[in-house]
Amino acid sequence: GAGVSQTPSNKVTEKGKYVELRCDPISGHTALYWYRQSLGQGPEFLIYFQGTGAADDSGLPNDRFFAVRPEGSVSTLKIQRTERGDSAVYLCASSPFSGGHGELFFGEGSRLTVL
Amino acid sequence: SQKIEQNSEALNIQEGKTATLTCNYTNYSPAYLQWYRQDPGRGPVFLLLIRENEKEKRKERLKVTFDTTLKQSLFHITASQPADSATYLCAPGGGGKLIFGQGTELSVKP
């Protein structure tokens, strides 16, 4: 389909390991967002890209988290030295609207479990 | 800091009735507010966007109001159906990022 695609859908890793989560946005969407969601909570904002640059990374919890979008399309969220508290569903969304002034199209998420 | 509050308890209603969900926000002056629906194990799906200069917006059985003085949005589903059962998220926005509330779980019983 033509929706937002996230891989892997499930990732189980051990504490201390490095993890990469990938997001393929809808073609032509300039804005891309990363959120994480814990059970029973709403999505928590992490970072927002406009094109290739991070327009707002104020939600990244610490320097173990990093995200890139080198060509303005696919984005990768990278988590170093994973901790059990990083376990959550990581959601990616894209939007054709710049400046966040319109609807977001979400993927189905990547469920991360840190043992 | 910005704070968004939605009904924390699940809302249980009978089929055919109107469901009303509340979203309150503090320390925030959003330019617009969005509502999303989320089913278990799925990503949120956009429903409606209302801007700060709009008081009310409708789409089929959905109605949203936005009171910038009260800092509140109300989301109504009329003639509710069991298929409307889901978690509903409000998200005030402006300046690029959307901040989501914790969501309200709606259950419509036949």
Side-chain angles (χ1 to χ4, degrees), chain B residues 25-70:
Chain B
Y25 56 92
T26 54
N27 299 325
Y28 203 1
S29 296
Y32 57 86
L33 192 145
Q34 299 188 26
W35 283 89
Y36 287 76
R37 168 186 174 137
Q38 188 172 27
D39 291 284
R42 309 296 298 273
V45 174
F46 172 81
L47 295 174
L48 279 167
L49 180 153
I50 186 166
R51 302 189 187 281
E52 60 181 337
N53 60 348
E54 297 174 313
K55 297 296 183 188
E56 179 179 300
K57 198 155 205 180
R58 294 175 184 260
K59 179 182 175 183
E60 299 172 352
R61 295 184 296 111
L62 309 180
K63 184 179 88 170
V64 171
T65 62
F66 191 13
D67 189 325
T68 55
T69 301
L70 289 178

Side-chain angles (χ1 to χ4, degrees), chain A residues 20-62:
Chain A
E20 286 191 356
L21 306 175
R22 176 187 167 108
C23 174
D24 273 281
I26 293 172
S27 178
H29 281 194
T30 56
L32 185 146
Y33 299 75
W34 283 100
Y35 289 84
R36 73 176 174 181
Q37 188 173 27
S38 300
L39 193 64
Q41 301 297 314
E44 174 192 4
F45 172 79
L46 296 178
I47 186 170
Y48 151 58
F49 287 90
Q50 190 62 45
T52 61
D56 188 333
D57 65 357
S58 61
L60 294 177
N62 51 59

Side-chain angles (χ1 to χ4, degrees), chain A residues 29-103:
Chain A
H29 281 194
T30 56
L32 185 146
Y33 299 75
W34 283 100
Y35 289 84
R36 73 176 174 181
Q37 188 173 27
S38 300
L39 193 64
Q41 301 297 314
E44 174 192 4
F45 172 79
L46 296 178
I47 186 170
Y48 151 58
F49 287 90
Q50 190 62 45
T52 61
D56 188 333
D57 65 357
S58 61
L60 294 177
N62 51 59
D63 62 5
R64 296 187 298 105
F65 288 75
F66 190 70
V68 295
R69 195 186 185 199
E71 297 178 358
S73 178
V74 170
S75 177
T76 304
L77 179 65
K78 308 180 181 197
I79 311 173
Q80 298 178 321
R81 305 183 304 280
T82 51
E83 299 178 355
R84 292 194 180 88
D86 299 335
S87 296
V89 175
Y90 289 80
L91 293 165
C92 176
S94 69
S95 177
F97 302 94
S98 62
H101 293 299
E103 65 182 283

